[in-house]
Amino acid sequence: MSTEMSKYVLMLLESYNERARKIAVLRYNLEHPAKVSRSEQIEAMNFGHGDGLDHSAGHISNKTLYIALNYEEQAERMNAESAHEIAKELFALECEQRRLTYFIGLLDKRQAEVIRLVFVDGIPTKEVAASFGLTYRTIDRIKRTAIENLAEMYAYSDQFRV
């Protein structure tokens, strides 16, 4: 099996919890998008100033009127773009997480349990060995074999991905 694919699988396993956190944050951001209120908009326009050209003191620039009239449309477009970017990133992370979780589920029971305990639950290999009543080396061998099996699954699966 390719050592590159094994390294990739190990990286995915080691970043499992970080990816789960990112997924949770993105879901929250998608469900609770940041919006600029009308009062914040008006306040921003009050303190905004141009370069001082092409208008007299006390005169409101046509640019300010144009910005005020089109603000809501622009804000909605920007909010939609932001939501689209969040959804795109969320989709990619969730797909990778589901794929990894599914492949872990295809391992034999003991390998899957060791992988979950070590990488998902973050339990040190020594403690996992003690809980199984096995030596550190045995658990480490099970973990390495599981990573190799996952790498084979990824390599095989990638042959059919477009």
Side-chain angles (χ1 to χ4, degrees):
M1 176 54 16
S2 161
T3 55
E4 289 301 314
M5 188 58 77
S6 293
K7 286 179 184 177
Y8 176 70
V9 168
L10 184 59
M11 181 274 306
L12 286 174
L13 289 167
E14 289 173 341
S15 62
Y16 184 91
N17 290 319
E18 179 185 341
R19 204 169 26 263
R21 266 191 309 279
K22 286 180 180 179
I23 289 169
V25 167
L26 290 174
R27 278 189 188 151
Y28 180 85
N29 286 343
L30 203 55
E31 292 170 6
H32 305 92
K35 300 264 185 190
V36 176
S37 71
R38 288 178 185 253
S39 61
E40 290 172 325
Q41 171 196 358
I42 291 168
E43 187 176 321
M45 289 190 311
N46 279 338
F47 292 113
H49 54 80
D51 55 9
L53 301 175
D54 298 318
H55 61 58
S56 60
H59 181 265
I60 297 176
S61 161
N62 285 340
K63 292 178 185 177
T64 304
L65 179 61
Y66 176 76
I67 290 170
L69 292 174
N70 291 302
Y71 170 77
E72 285 187 36
E73 180 183 314
Q74 294 297 330
E76 286 302 316
R77 182 184 57 78
M78 291 171 63
N79 286 335
E81 288 174 3
S82 176
H84 176 73
E85 289 299 314
I86 291 170
K88 188 171 137 182
E89 179 70 12
L90 178 60
F91 180 75
L93 289 170
E94 286 180 330
C95 283
E96 193 61 61
Q97 201 78 327
R98 279 193 305 271
R99 185 179 184 206
L100 179 59
T101 302
Y102 183 79
F103 287 169
I104 290 171
L106 294 176
L107 295 170
D108 79 30
K109 188 175 178 179
R110 190 162 71 165
Q111 289 177 355
E113 187 64 21
V114 167
I115 291 295
R116 283 188 189 100
L117 290 170
V118 172
F119 293 104
V120 177
D121 297 342
I123 299 172
T125 306
K126 284 184 179 183
E127 289 181 32
V128 173
S131 71
F132 275 88
L134 300 170
T135 65
Y136 175 89
R137 289 180 60 184
T138 302
I139 293 297
D140 193 53
R141 182 180 43 78
I142 292 169
K143 184 173 69 174
R144 280 194 321 268
T145 303
I147 291 170
E148 289 172 10
N149 289 339
L150 288 169
E152 288 175 7
M153 288 182 219
Y154 270 90
Y156 181 71
S157 174
D158 285 351
Q159 292 177 16
F160 304 102
R161 294 186 111 192
V162 179

